[in-house]
């Protein structure tokens, strides 16, 4: 049987060889953390390589995702379906071993990492999901949700501010199932970090309420003992500070930034082989090393034991067992269609004129009984975002519930939500002012990249926000969100469009949704069944011209009612106008050409009306069309005054139409 060090050296060899072949990558972190990884994966990690999505597996997150060859090596060696030729094509087109770990590319990768700090924040989400689901489903004598989340992270993750946002919450929530390993190697890309990172990390995490242990990251016995201690600490998350040597085994480059983000070079690779006593050729693993790493039999046994326990649980609590399976499979309830159709129908019948943030709260209240997986929250703006309802139980410190006050932590909130979604069993949504979506943009991008369902409730959507002034008036944010690939943005015009937007967000399983909602009241507009079907397609004719249309007005959100008033004024001037409401440009763009042409008739000139930057709308109106928008920052005054000041008036819309015609 191969020694622990020899098993760890397999990671070092694969990592340096793959990076060398690619002539690109980060060999230092995998080589430095190999001993930690060997102990964790061989002695503690509960997983089954032949069943990567088993519900009660431990979750492993490589937050310092630049060291991606570490996780690829671990997956391959322990028996996951990740062939050696994939490792040998590291960082090449269509390889499962991308430059940074990509969710969905290879089995066993729990989340996409690379933007530093987000992996540990996802890890907090994983651990929070485990704790919430344990409370919801576990019963006396039946622990069907009982696993840990392990996170590897480096100095860069700790420097990024989002790690503070998320890790502080992890301490507040008492996430005993979260165990993080800090690769304390004193190196980042620019060199030794003494000139830019001198934080007392131990005291920092102790102040959050974490359990902190310090070890030699190359002492397997010490690492093992630290993990045992961390697993016994069930009331606090644990940080294991591992003092390591980056590029361990490299005679000339270990301990320096030279091995952080570049291949070692052929000569140095040969010296590493000699230093480590590794005689195998590149991408060749000895049989005894494979045998020492193989986790398939042990994993199958652990999963089988859990299946037996789950069967006993299902016998005693059959309804809970069915519900657990449904939620972990990311399936909607059987009565979802009925409930969602009722919401839309009743909303359309009630003719309520509300701010869309208020309409959104009514949707949340109506859907919550149907969706026990709902997990609401807000970044310290619950009373403004209106993201809570009477049915929700608020999380308070270590008391669990289904509504979270995240505090002023927009980025942390959405990064944590990503982890919750990836864990499974929960449908998280979080609210903030739309202006502060800028703080969370990287987390939105990661959700879109991973094609996972999270819902952002972004209120106070335009200059109609009013008195708070330009610092809080999101002129460019809606268009910026629309430009994120795979992000669906909805800016509804009234309560009916808001209801459809919520239903579409819940039904969308392959990407995130942002609901952009108004502070100010919006007049209700009654819809036909055909128009409601059109809302689902992202754009539809809300009011047709009386005769052949000379112009098409396209509007969203609070500006739809302005477009309808302008239609009347234009008719008095003999100008027939079609009004199109386009609550989601992203969804409309996915429709077939025939439908798009039926809404935006080719050859008919167009004017778009939205209280945001105008350039976005050129894709719909062309250079010959017009845009009533705003290309400067707002002003501080009552919302109606600001809207009038910047030209969101019937007179200005009519003038723009006349100029285009």
């Amino acid at each position: 049987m191969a020694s622990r060090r020899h098993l760890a050296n397999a990671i070092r060899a694969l990592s340096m060889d793959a990076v060398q072949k690619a002539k690109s990558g980060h060999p230092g972190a995998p080589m430095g953390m190999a001993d930690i990884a060997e102990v964790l994966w061989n002695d503690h990690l509960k997983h089954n390589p032949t069943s990567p999505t088993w519900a009660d597996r431990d979750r492993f997150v490589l937050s310092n995702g630049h060291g991606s060859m570490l996780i690829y090596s671990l997956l391959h060696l322990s028996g996951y379906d990740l062939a050696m030729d994939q490792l040998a094509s590291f960082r090449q087109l269509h390889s499962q071993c991308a430059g940074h770990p990509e969710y969905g590319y290879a089995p066993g990768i729990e989340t996409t990492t690379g933007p530093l700090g987000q992996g540990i924040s996802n890890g907090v989400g994983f651990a929070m999901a485990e704790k919430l689901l344990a409370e919801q489903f576990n019963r006396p004598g039946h622990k069907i949700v009982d696993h840990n989340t392990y996170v590897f992270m480096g100095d860069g993750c700790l420097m990024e501010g989002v790690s503070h946002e998320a890790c502080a919450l992890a301490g507040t929530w008492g996430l005993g199932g979260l165990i993080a390993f800090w690769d304390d190697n004193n190196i980042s890309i620019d060199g030794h970090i003494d000139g830019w990172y001198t934080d007392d990390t131990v005291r920092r995490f102790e102040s959050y309420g974490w359990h902190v242990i310090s070890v030699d990251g190359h002492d397997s016995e010490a690492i093992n003992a630290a993990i045992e201690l961390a697993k016994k600490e069930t009331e606090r998350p644990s940080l294991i500070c591992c003092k390591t040597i980056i590029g361990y085994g490299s005679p000339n480059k270990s301990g320096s930034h030279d091995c952080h983000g570049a291949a070692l070079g052929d000569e140095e690779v040969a010296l590493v082989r000699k230093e480590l006593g590794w005689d195998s050729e590149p991408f060749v693993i000895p049989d005894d090393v494979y045998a020492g790493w193989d986790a398939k039999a042990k994993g199958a046994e652990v999963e089988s034991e859990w299946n037996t326990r789950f069967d006993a649980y299902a016998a005693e609590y059959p309804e809970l067992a069915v519900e657990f399976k449904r939620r972990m499979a990311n399936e909607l309830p059987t009565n979802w269609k009925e409930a969602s159709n009722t919401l839309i129908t009743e909303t359309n019948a009630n003719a309520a004129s509300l701010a869309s943030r208020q309409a959104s709260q009514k949707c949340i209240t109506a859907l919550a009984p149907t969706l026990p997986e709902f997990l609401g929250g807000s970044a310290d703006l619950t009373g403004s975002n209106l993201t809570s309802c009477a049915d929700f139980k608020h999380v308070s410190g270590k008391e669990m519930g289904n509504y979270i006050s995240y505090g002023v932590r927009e980025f942390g909130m959405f990064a944590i939500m990503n982890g919750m979604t990836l864990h499974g069993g929960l449908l998280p949504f979080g609210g903030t002012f739309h202006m502060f979506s800028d703080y969370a943009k990287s987390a939105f991008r990661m959700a879109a990249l991973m094609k996972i369902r999270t819902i952002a409730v972004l209120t106070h959507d335009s200059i109609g926000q009013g008195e708070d002034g330009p610092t809080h008036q999101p002129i460019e944010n809606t268009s910026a969100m629309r430009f994120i690939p795979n992000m669906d943005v909805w800016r509804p015009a009234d309560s009916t469009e808001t209801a459809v937007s919520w239903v579409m967000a819940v039904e969308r399983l392959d990407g995130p949704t942002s609901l952009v909602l108004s502070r100010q009241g919006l007049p209700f507009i009654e819809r036909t069944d055909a128009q409601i079907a059109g809302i689902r397609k992202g754009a539809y004719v809300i009011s047709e011209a009386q005769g052949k249309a000379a112009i098409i007005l396209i509007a969203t959100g609070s500006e739809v009612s302005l477009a309808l008033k302008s239609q009347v004024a234009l008719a008095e001037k003999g100008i027939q106008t079609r009004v199109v409401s386009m609550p989601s440009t992203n969804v409309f763009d996915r429709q077939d050409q025939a439908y798009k042409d039926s809404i935006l008739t080719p050859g008919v000139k167009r004017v778009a009306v939205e209280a945001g930057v105008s350039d976005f709308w050129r894709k719909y109106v062309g250079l010959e069309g017009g845009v009533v928008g705003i290309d400067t920052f707002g002003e501080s005054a009552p919302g109606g005054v600001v809207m009038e000041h910047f030209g969101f008036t019937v007179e200005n819309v009519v003038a723009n139409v006349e100029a285009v015609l």
Side-chain angles (χ1 to χ4, degrees), residues 575-614:
I575 300 172
Q576 293 302 314
T577 306
R578 171 187 293 175
V579 179
V580 170
S581 176
M582 191 178 286
S584 179
T585 63
N586 308 98
V587 174
F588 178 68
D589 287 347
R590 292 199 294 269
Q591 305 306 312
D592 61 42
Q593 194 60 47
Y595 182 77
K596 288 190 279 191
D597 287 347
S598 74
I599 305 301
L600 302 180
T601 305
V604 180
K605 291 184 177 181
R606 307 160 190 175
V607 172
V609 187
E610 184 177 66
V613 291
S614 61

Side-chain angles (χ1 to χ4, degrees), residues 416-655:
I416 289 169
M417 284 168 50
N418 287 348
M420 292 171 170
T421 297
L422 289 161
H423 179 281
L426 298 171
L427 198 177
F429 61 89
T432 188
F433 285 172
H434 190 21
M435 187 66 247
F436 305 140
S437 61
D438 276 339
Y439 286 130
K441 194 70 62 62
S442 188
F444 293 148
R445 185 179 188 275
M446 297 304 286
L449 178 63
M450 291 188 281
K451 301 179 181 177
I452 60 173
R453 176 181 59 178
T454 59
I455 300 173
V457 179
L458 306 174
T459 69
H460 298 59
D461 69 336
S462 73
I463 55 173
Q465 149 76 340
E467 291 88 344
D468 280 336
T471 61
H472 282 55
Q473 293 170 4
I475 305 306
E476 74 282 11
N477 294 58
T478 302
S479 291
M481 296 291 285
R482 289 167 176 150
F483 280 127
I484 300 174
N486 201 43
M487 167 68 79
D488 278 1
V489 178
W490 290 83
R491 187 170 184 250
D494 69 351
S495 54
T496 298
E497 285 193 5
T498 303
V500 175
S501 300
W502 258 108
V503 170
M504 294 291 284
V506 171
E507 291 180 351
R508 186 172 192 233
L509 302 180
D510 61 352
T513 299
S514 292
L515 306 177
V516 178
L517 308 173
S518 74
R519 174 198 190 188
Q520 71 272 28
L522 304 178
F524 174 79
I525 307 159
E526 188 175 355
R527 309 305 198 293
T528 65
D529 289 344
Q531 286 176 321
I532 290 175
I535 298 173
R536 286 180 172 270
K537 294 183 177 181
Y540 63 103
V541 177
I542 194 167
S543 182
E544 187 57 278
Q546 300 300 309
K548 185 177 180 181
I551 196 82
I552 298 173
L553 284 179
I554 310 167
T556 77
S558 52
E559 288 71 72
V560 170
S561 60
L562 172 60
L564 291 170
K565 292 175 184 176
S566 300
Q567 182 188 41
V568 175
L570 287 164
E572 293 174 354
K573 289 175 169 282
I575 300 172
Q576 293 302 314
T577 306
R578 171 187 293 175
V579 179
V580 170
S581 176
M582 191 178 286
S584 179
T585 63
N586 308 98
V587 174
F588 178 68
D589 287 347
R590 292 199 294 269
Q591 305 306 312
D592 61 42
Q593 194 60 47
Y595 182 77
K596 288 190 279 191
D597 287 347
S598 74
I599 305 301
L600 302 180
T601 305
V604 180
K605 291 184 177 181
R606 307 160 190 175
V607 172
V609 187
E610 184 177 66
V613 291
S614 61
D615 279 356
F616 172 85
W617 290 99
R618 290 294 166 191
K619 65 186 287 190
Y620 300 106
V621 304
L623 295 178
E624 73 283 0
V627 181
V628 178
I630 175 170
D631 293 311
T632 184
F633 296 110
E635 293 287 348
S636 181
V641 174
V642 178
M643 293 290 272
E644 182 176 356
H645 173 75
F646 285 106
F648 291 93
T649 63
V650 170
E651 294 76 13
N652 192 39
V653 173
V654 169

Side-chain angles (χ1 to χ4, degrees), residues 37-375:
E38 188 277 323
V39 174
L40 174 63
W41 278 62
N42 278 325
D43 290 3
H44 297 278
L45 191 71
K46 184 173 67 172
H47 67 123
N48 184 0
T50 61
S51 183
T53 59
W54 163 46
D56 202 41
R57 70 194 182 278
D58 288 339
R59 271 61 169 181
F60 175 77
V61 177
L62 185 70
S63 188
N64 45 344
H66 54 273
S68 55
M69 272 309 303
L70 175 62
I71 194 169
Y72 300 144
S73 300
L74 290 165
L75 293 171
H76 172 79
L77 291 167
S78 61
Y80 285 78
D81 186 16
L82 184 62
M84 183 64 85
D85 62 355
Q86 294 296 319
L87 277 69
S89 60
F90 173 59
R91 289 192 163 215
Q92 305 309 300
L93 187 63
H94 303 314
S95 172
Q96 290 176 283
C97 299
H100 293 79
E102 296 278 356
Y103 174 71
Y105 275 43
I109 295 176
E110 301 284 2
T111 181
T112 298
T113 55
L116 296 177
Q118 290 205 58
I120 178 61
S121 303
N122 295 165
V124 173
F126 279 116
M128 186 57 164
E130 189 271 343
K131 188 164 186 173
L132 290 166
L133 292 171
E135 182 188 56
Q136 293 175 21
F137 286 100
N138 288 352
R139 293 296 181 269
H142 297 279
K143 273 192 170 183
I144 63 162
V145 182
D146 184 23
H147 53 266
N148 291 315
T149 299
Y150 296 101
V151 181
F152 280 10
M153 60 181 178
D155 294 308
C157 294
L158 296 179
M159 288 186 230
E160 287 286 359
V162 70
S163 70
H164 163 70
E165 296 182 27
C167 292
L169 281 172
T172 298
W173 293 335
L175 299 182
L178 175 62
I179 300 173
F181 299 79
W182 169 33
D183 181 24
D184 179 13
N185 61 31
N186 205 46
I187 293 292
S188 66
I189 290 176
D190 277 359
H192 289 271
I193 62 175
D194 299 335
W196 52 89
Y197 186 65
T198 58
D199 301 25
D200 189 332
T201 300
V202 170
R203 292 177 66 184
R204 169 186 166 186
F205 275 79
E206 287 177 343
S207 76
Y208 294 154
W210 285 54
H211 169 224
V212 183
I213 310 166
S214 296
V215 298
D216 178 345
H218 301 295
D219 183 337
S220 296
E221 290 187 9
I223 296 164
N224 185 64
I227 297 173
E228 291 287 2
L229 283 173
K231 289 165 68 175
K232 290 175 183 176
E233 174 53 72
T234 59
E235 299 299 318
R236 295 179 293 169
S238 292
L239 175 68
I240 302 177
C241 305
C242 303
K243 197 65 183 173
T244 62
I245 300 171
I246 191 171
Y248 182 95
S250 174
N252 298 305
K253 297 188 178 183
S254 64
S256 77
H257 70 284
D258 292 335
C259 63
H260 182 286
L264 297 178
D266 291 331
E267 291 183 7
E268 191 68 13
V269 166
L271 292 174
V272 173
R273 277 185 153 71
K274 184 176 180 181
E275 181 77 13
L276 298 179
W278 187 263
D279 299 326
S280 300
E281 294 296 313
F283 306 108
V284 174
I285 301 296
D287 290 343
D288 64 331
V289 173
Y290 270 131
W293 274 105
D294 192 351
K296 294 192 291 294
K298 183 169 62 176
E301 182 180 347
V302 173
E303 182 178 0
S304 176
E305 187 272 334
W306 181 84
N307 288 336
T308 299
R309 287 191 287 115
F310 187 83
D311 289 342
Y313 173 81
E316 191 167 349
Y317 302 100
E319 292 182 0
L320 280 175
V322 170
E323 179 68 3
F324 180 78
K325 285 184 174 181
R326 175 190 75 79
R327 286 171 58 176
M328 292 306 293
N330 207 22
E331 296 173 353
L332 290 169
T334 54
N335 64 338
W336 166 251
K337 282 296 181 187
E338 178 186 357
S340 59
N341 287 337
T342 298
L343 168 66
I344 295 169
T345 301
E346 291 184 353
T347 300
N348 195 49
N350 285 338
S353 294
L354 301 166
S356 51
R357 62 172 175 153
Q358 294 174 306
S360 169
Q361 186 176 46
K362 288 183 176 292
C363 293
I364 293 167
T365 302
L367 294 177
T370 304
L371 295 169
E373 57 264 51
F374 252 2
L375 179 64

